[in-house]
Amino acid sequence: MNRKLINWLFCLLLVALTGLFSCAKQEEAKPLPAESPEQVVQKFYTYIAERGLKTTEEAYKLISTTHTVLPEGRFKQIIKQYPEGMKVKIKSSKIENGKAIVILDCDIPSKFGVCINESQVNLEIDPKVNEWRIDFTGETYDELEQIKAEAAKTSPATGSTAGHQEH
């Protein structure tokens, strides 16, 4: 082959590789959504607590459709079972690789007073709109448990996770 042709092909290959790497870096550098996972979870439970038709529809818009599309009617049936007067308090959260775990306490009124139940809500970023969505069906639970296990290996133990429940 001609030396000039080889040099030209080499330059073309370098340009192509540079383009690929710059595209990959731009995708990694995408900013996190403006609204935090904690804010989305708080908004979700506030909508549910109001129990109105419009607020239920707004809560439904906050769930992820990446893995499964939960019919809105089924969603409404599920949240009707949530106890009236339930309040949530965000305890902690962790974001990693476009997924988040929000740990919260659910204050559930009962005949015996308020029962506090620790719960876990998993979220993921909807890349179409760059907003956090709640994984209501629990499809990302295994992935997030793996992230938590890896994080626990690198940080000191902070207590048991036995009381965590998924949504």
Side-chain angles (χ1 to χ4, degrees):
M1 265 191 172
N2 182 338
R3 186 168 175 84
K4 203 176 209 182
L5 179 61
I6 291 172
N7 284 339
W8 185 82
L9 288 173
F10 182 73
C11 287
L12 184 63
L13 179 64
L14 281 176
V15 169
L17 287 175
T18 303
L20 285 173
F21 286 123
S22 67
C23 287
K25 285 193 178 252
Q26 284 177 352
E27 192 171 308
E28 288 175 17
K30 191 171 185 177
L32 288 174
E35 202 168 29
S36 72
E38 298 92 341
Q39 290 170 315
V40 173
V41 169
Q42 192 67 54
K43 187 189 320 184
F44 179 78
Y45 282 103
T46 299
Y47 286 150
I48 289 173
E50 291 179 18
R51 297 186 178 267
L53 178 62
K54 287 288 183 196
T55 55
T56 301
E57 289 171 359
E58 291 301 313
Y60 181 74
K61 291 176 187 176
L62 295 176
I63 65 172
S64 174
T65 58
T66 301
H67 303 284
T68 306
V69 177
L70 181 68
E72 190 171 355
R74 178 68 183 127
F75 172 76
K76 288 177 181 179
Q77 289 173 341
I78 293 169
I79 64 169
K80 277 183 184 176
Q81 296 175 19
Y82 286 26
E84 265 188 70
M86 182 179 84
K87 295 180 180 158
V88 298
K89 294 177 190 166
I90 307 293
K91 291 176 65 175
S92 66
S93 68
K94 179 174 175 92
I95 299 173
E96 193 166 313
N97 298 327
K99 297 187 183 339
I101 300 172
V102 175
I103 305 298
L104 49 90
D105 280 338
C106 297
D107 295 356
I108 304 169
S110 74
K111 294 178 185 177
F112 306 105
V114 174
C115 175
I116 299 174
N117 185 25
E118 187 175 79
S119 187
Q120 171 179 309
V121 179
N122 302 322
L123 297 95
E124 56 193 355
I125 296 175
D126 180 342
K128 294 175 189 165
V129 292
N130 195 37
E131 292 179 357
W132 289 106
R133 295 291 184 245
I134 294 174
D135 180 20
F136 197 73
T137 59
E139 293 293 329
T140 62
Y141 182 71
D142 292 335
E143 295 172 49
L144 290 167
E145 281 301 307
Q146 185 176 4
I147 291 169
K148 279 176 51 180
E150 290 170 8
K153 289 178 190 175
T154 60
S155 65
T158 56
S160 170
T161 59
H164 293 203
Q165 295 177 351
E166 79 170 282
H167 279 270

